[in-house]
Amino acid sequence: MPSANLLGQSLLSGILAGGLYALLGLGLSLSWRFLRIINLSHFGFIFLGAYLTYQVATSFHLSPFAVMLAIVPLLFALGVAQQALFVRFAVNEFGSLLVTFGMVAIIESLIQYFWTADFRRLESGYGTLSYRIGPLFLPVAEALTFLVAVVLGLAAWAALRFTYLGKAMRASAEDPAMAAAFGVRERSLALLVAGTSAATAGIAGTFVALTATLAPAQIYAWIGVIFAVVIMGGLGNPLGILAAGLLIGVSEALTMALTSPSWAPLVSFTLLIAVLILRPGRV
Amino acid sequence: MHVAYGDAPALRGVSLRVGPGELVSVVGPNGAGKTTLVNAILRLLPIRQGTVRLGGEDVTSADARAMRLRGVALIPEGRRLFATMSVEENLEMGCYPPSARRYRDEGIARVYAMFPRLKERYRQQAGTLSGGEQQMVAIGRAMMARPRLLLIDEPSLGLAPAIVEQVFETIRAIHADGLSILLIEQNAARALAIAARGYVLEDGRVVAEGPARALMAEPQIRAAYLGEGDAADPREGGER
Ligand SMILES: Nc1ncnc2c1ncn2[C@@H]1O[C@H](COP(=O)(O)OP(=O)(O)O)[C@@H](O)[C@H]1O
Ligand SMILES: [Mg+2]
C-alpha cells in the first residue's frame, strides 16, 4: 500500500492531468457537436501550436505566453480555412474522420520536415518550477494548464448558455432549417466555431510545449484518451468535458499509484465503455 | 412559383396573395404541397421559377435570414421547437437578428401575458412540454419580433380537440391585432371559418380560390374537405 503522501501527490497530478485533457478536448467536442465534424487534425493543430511555441520562444527568447498570443489568431484563421474547405467539398460527419485523418498525417510530416523526429524540449524555466504545499509538490506549468482549462471551459459554457451566438449554435445544431428561418446564418456561425475550436488547439499547444517533450509521433499519443474524455463529457458540453477530464485524470493517476503504470491506459477506455453502456446515445 | 425536389415537381405554378391585415387559408390534402409552399416563401427551399413580393418589394433573391429581417415569421408544421433549449431560449430565438433584439423584453412579456402557463415553465426544456404547450411556444417564438406576415403550417396537427379550439382562438386574436396571416390547414372547415379568403391546393396546383364563405359553399369542396356528401372530384367544380 503506497503512503498517504504518494497517494496525495498522485491525486494532485491526476487532477492536473485532467485539466490538460479537458483543454485538449474542448475544441474537438465543440466542432463535433456544432459542426458535425470529427476533427482529428485538432491534434495536429495542437502540436503545430506546441512546435511554434517551442521555436519562436527559443529563437527569439520570448515568453511562451507572448508567442501564444500570436498563435491564437493564426490557428483561428487555419480553422476557418479548413471549415471553408469542408463546406466546399460537402464533407459529412463520417467523411470528416477520414479527411482529417489524412490532414493529421500531413501535419505530422510537415512537423517532421521542419523539426525532424528528434525530441524537443522548451527550456522556459516553467517546466521545472514547482511550489511546495505541505508534503506535496505543485508543478507550476501543470497548474497553469489546469487553470486555463477551467477558465476556457467556463467561458465556453457561459458563451453557449448566455449569448445569442451560443444559443444560435445550439439551435442550429438541433434544427438547422428552423434556425435559418429565425435568421441564423449557419455558415458564418460554423466558421466562427471552427476558428474558435482551432484557436483552443493553439492555446493547448503552448501548454503542451510547457509541460511535455515534443516529438512528431506524440501527436497520436493523446487521441485515445481525449476521445474518451470528449464522449464521456457529452458533445458540446464544456462543463462535462472538465468533469470527464478530471475523472479520467484522477482514475489514471490512482491506478498508476496503486497498481502499475502499464494499467493506466485501460482506465479511460473502461470508464468510456461503462458510460456508453449506462448512458447510451451520447454521440 | 414553381418548386421541385430534384426532378419531382412539388409546386407547379402556384400563385397567391395575402393582403395587409388579411387572414388567408390554404387547404388541401396531405402531400398537396402546402409545407413546400411555406418553405419556399421563407426561402428554405429554392424557387425554380416565379417571384415573391413583400409589400411591393421584389424579394425573390432574398435568403431565409433576409425574409426574417423583413418580418416574415413561421409557426412550422409539428412545432419544431429547439427541444433541448428552455422555453425562454426558444422565445429568444424569435428575436435573434441583432436588429430584432430590442424587442426581447417586450416580446417575452407579451407572450407570457398571452400564455401564463409558459411563464411558470420558462426554464423547462421545450422538448418536455405537452403538445399544446409546445404549440404555445411555437406561436410565441414567431410573435417575438413584431412580425408583419405570419406563416402558420398545420397548427392543429396532433393536438387534442380542446387544445385545437384554443389554438384557433389565439390565431383569431392575433389576426384581430392587425397581423397578416397565411394559415395552412388540412382541417379545412376550421381554417376557412376564420379566414377572409382561401385557396385549395392539390398536387402542387391551386384548384380553387375565392372568399372563404364561397369556398365553403361549393358542393365539391364540402364533399372533399368538409366531410359532407359523396366524394366528388373537387377539381371539376373549382374556379380556376
Ligand atoms: N424533402 C423532400 N424531398 C422530396 N420530396 C418531398 C420532400 N418534402 C416533400 N416532398 C414531396 O412534395 C410533395 C408535397 O409535400 P408537402 O409540401 O410536405 O405537402 P403537404 O404539406 O401539403 O402535406 C409530396 O409529394 C411530398 O412527397
Ligand atoms: Mg405539410
Side-chain angles (χ1 to χ4, degrees):
Chain A
M1 190 65 196
S3 70
N5 266 1
L6 181 60
L7 272 185
Q9 190 66 48
S10 300
L11 198 63
L12 180 61
S13 46
I15 291 171
L16 297 180
L20 178 64
Y21 292 163
L23 185 57
L24 298 182
L26 179 62
L28 190 70
S29 171
L30 292 178
S31 58
W32 195 341
R33 169 78 175 130
F34 297 111
L35 306 175
R36 287 277 139 204
I37 295 285
I38 309 173
N39 197 346
L40 287 174
S41 58
H42 193 71
F43 296 93
F45 288 168
I46 291 169
F47 272 74
L48 208 56
Y51 271 96
L52 285 173
T53 303
Y54 158 78
Q55 190 63 55
V56 179
T58 309
S59 305
F60 300 98
H61 304 289
L62 286 171
S63 153
F65 301 111
V67 182
M68 185 175 83
L69 292 182
I71 287 174
V72 164
L74 185 75
L75 273 146
F76 187 95
L78 207 56
V80 168
Q82 189 186 39
Q83 176 62 22
L85 275 181
F86 290 152
V87 172
R88 169 73 184 71
F89 293 104
V91 176
N92 64 16
E93 187 168 345
F94 179 65
S96 71
L97 201 52
L98 302 178
V99 172
T100 59
F101 183 67
M103 288 175 167
V104 208
I106 294 172
I107 295 175
E108 186 200 2
S109 308
L110 285 175
I111 288 178
Q112 187 141 341
Y113 177 79
F114 285 111
W115 286 285
T116 76
D118 293 348
F119 285 99
R120 305 282 172 151
R121 176 89 205 168
L122 175 65
E123 302 299 341
S124 64
Y126 290 100
T128 49
L129 197 62
S130 68
Y131 286 114
R132 210 190 155 111
I133 306 173
L136 302 180
F137 286 98
L138 181 71
V140 168
E142 277 82 355
L144 279 175
T145 309
F146 179 83
L147 199 67
V148 167
V150 171
V151 168
L152 282 186
L154 285 175
W157 170 78
L160 284 171
R161 202 177 160 91
F162 299 118
T163 71
Y164 272 102
L165 280 180
K167 288 169 197 170
M169 277 164 59
R170 287 158 57 208
S172 207
E174 266 194 45
D175 190 336
M178 244 351 86
F182 283 95
V184 176
R185 272 181 301 209
E186 201 194 355
R187 290 227 170 152
S188 26
L189 209 54
L191 295 179
L192 179 69
V193 175
T196 306
S197 158
T200 69
I203 294 172
T206 295
F207 287 95
V208 167
L210 280 179
T211 54
T213 303
L214 305 179
Q218 293 292 96
I219 292 178
Y220 303 100
W222 307 96
I223 293 184
V225 68
I226 300 303
F227 265 78
V229 167
V230 165
I231 291 169
M232 201 186 282
L235 301 183
N237 177 358
L239 298 187
I241 303 257
L242 282 173
L246 288 182
L247 181 67
I248 289 186
V250 167
S251 314
E252 278 185 349
L254 291 182
T255 307
M256 281 196 257
L258 295 174
T259 63
S260 90
S262 55
W263 288 108
L266 277 184
V267 173
S268 49
F269 295 106
T270 311
L271 281 172
L272 174 61
I273 290 166
V275 167
L276 288 177
I277 290 171
L278 295 176
R279 293 190 55 190
R282 293 189 67 84
V283 179
Chain B
M1 57 173 79
H2 292 256
V3 176
Y5 295 100
D7 289 335
L11 296 183
R12 314 154 189 259
V14 169
S15 187
L16 56 81
R17 175 175 183 281
V18 181
E22 200 180 21
L23 199 168
V24 173
S25 286
V26 175
V27 300
N30 211 351
K34 304 185 297 297
T35 298
T36 303
L37 174 67
V38 167
N39 288 344
I41 294 173
L42 276 169
R43 230 43 57 66
L44 297 174
L45 282 173
I47 299 170
R48 290 283 164 100
Q49 199 186 319
T51 53
V52 182
R53 274 190 297 275
L54 197 60
E57 183 192 6
D58 187 335
V59 291
T60 311
S61 58
D63 62 6
R65 180 180 166 94
M67 294 304 280
R68 180 74 194 119
L69 290 174
R70 284 173 172 76
V72 183
L74 171 69
I75 301 175
E77 182 177 313
R79 336 296 165 231
R80 289 177 69 174
L81 299 182
F82 304 113
T84 64
M85 296 169 69
S86 71
V87 167
E88 193 145 304
E89 287 173 331
N90 269 274
L91 295 179
E92 284 172 330
M93 288 312 293
C95 61
Y96 170 70
S99 59
R101 287 176 200 169
R102 64 199 147 109
Y103 297 125
R104 183 196 175 276
D105 294 346
E106 157 201 326
I108 284 186
R110 188 153 27 90
V111 172
Y112 288 166
M114 195 160 37
F115 306 115
R117 182 97 61 101
L118 297 186
K119 185 172 184 175
E120 295 160 22
R121 301 176 175 238
Y122 75 104
R123 289 183 66 175
Q124 192 171 329
Q125 274 198 3
T128 65
L129 297 171
S130 74
E133 290 161 348
Q134 291 195 13
Q135 190 62 278
M136 293 176 196
V137 178
I139 295 172
R141 182 176 62 173
M143 294 299 295
M144 278 293 291
R146 298 191 180 181
R148 61 198 269 218
L149 172 63
L150 193 55
L151 308 177
I152 312 180
D153 193 356
E154 308 251 17
S156 68
L157 201 69
L159 296 181
I163 309 285
V164 171
E165 199 67 47
Q166 213 179 323
V167 166
F168 275 94
E169 193 41 57
T170 306
I171 293 171
R172 201 205 308 261
I174 292 170
H175 173 238
D177 285 345
L179 196 61
S180 314
I181 297 178
L182 183 66
L183 172 63
I184 308 268
E185 256 297 342
Q186 270 193 64
N187 189 339
R190 285 229 98 93
L192 291 173
I194 62 172
R197 288 188 304 115
Y199 296 81
V200 180
L201 198 65
E202 256 184 48
D203 199 19
R205 286 193 183 87
V206 173
V207 294
E209 64 179 278
R213 212 171 283 219
L215 283 180
M216 280 199 286
E218 295 260 357
Q220 286 85 354
I221 289 170
R222 299 184 72 88
Y225 299 110
L226 307 178
E228 290 175 24
D230 51 6
D233 185 357
R235 245 166 299 203
E236 286 163 16
E239 45 173 280
R240 182 70 248 266

